[in-house]
Amino acid sequence: MEKLLEFEVSAVIPATPEELYRAWLDSELHTAMTGGEAVVSAELGGEFSAWDGYISGSNLELTPAERIVQSWRTMEFDDNEGDSRVTISFAVVEGGTQITIVHADLPPHGTQYIQGWEDHYFTPMCAYFGDG
């Protein structure tokens, strides 16, 4: 059996944890802050898609303004590859909120998502929330 990958990435976003949590789980705001069409749910067990359907999954844990845990996969996952797990944590720091993403249970090709989080989430989120 292939070893599953895990990595952690983080950035400081010029927004409050409450603003980031709300935007992550709201279709209109998620679309606006990333630039990719998103249909998301703020309900436990609710399903989501992001980046025009490229990403899909469901909400596994929701702790308002603190933490979101989601099952997560892209169109590049093979049918025989299970969902990965994304844990998004929010912590107040100088300049805004440190958002930390731990991406676990990834298939071997999953290292590409390290740069993907930076390019398709952190960079547009900084611009959207006013620091870009």
Side-chain angles (χ1 to χ4, degrees), residues 7-85:
F7 64 82
E8 179 178 310
V9 292
S10 68
V12 175
I13 309 295
T16 67
E18 292 80 10
E19 288 172 321
L20 292 173
Y21 181 89
R22 186 174 69 248
W24 201 278
L25 298 175
D26 178 279
S27 298
E28 187 176 320
L29 295 173
H30 195 111
T31 297
M33 78 173 179
T34 64
E37 182 68 32
V39 178
V40 300
S41 168
E43 301 296 318
L44 191 62
E47 297 186 352
F48 71 89
S49 69
W51 281 101
D52 306 310
Y54 174 72
I55 300 167
S56 63
S58 65
N59 296 326
L60 304 175
E61 287 179 44
L62 298 173
T63 307
E66 290 181 22
R67 181 173 136 116
I68 298 168
V69 181
Q70 296 178 318
S71 67
W72 193 97
R73 66 186 299 113
T74 70
M75 294 165 87
E76 295 179 43
F77 280 43
D78 290 334
D79 289 341
N80 65 342
E81 294 173 328
D83 291 352
S84 64
R85 181 179 179 99

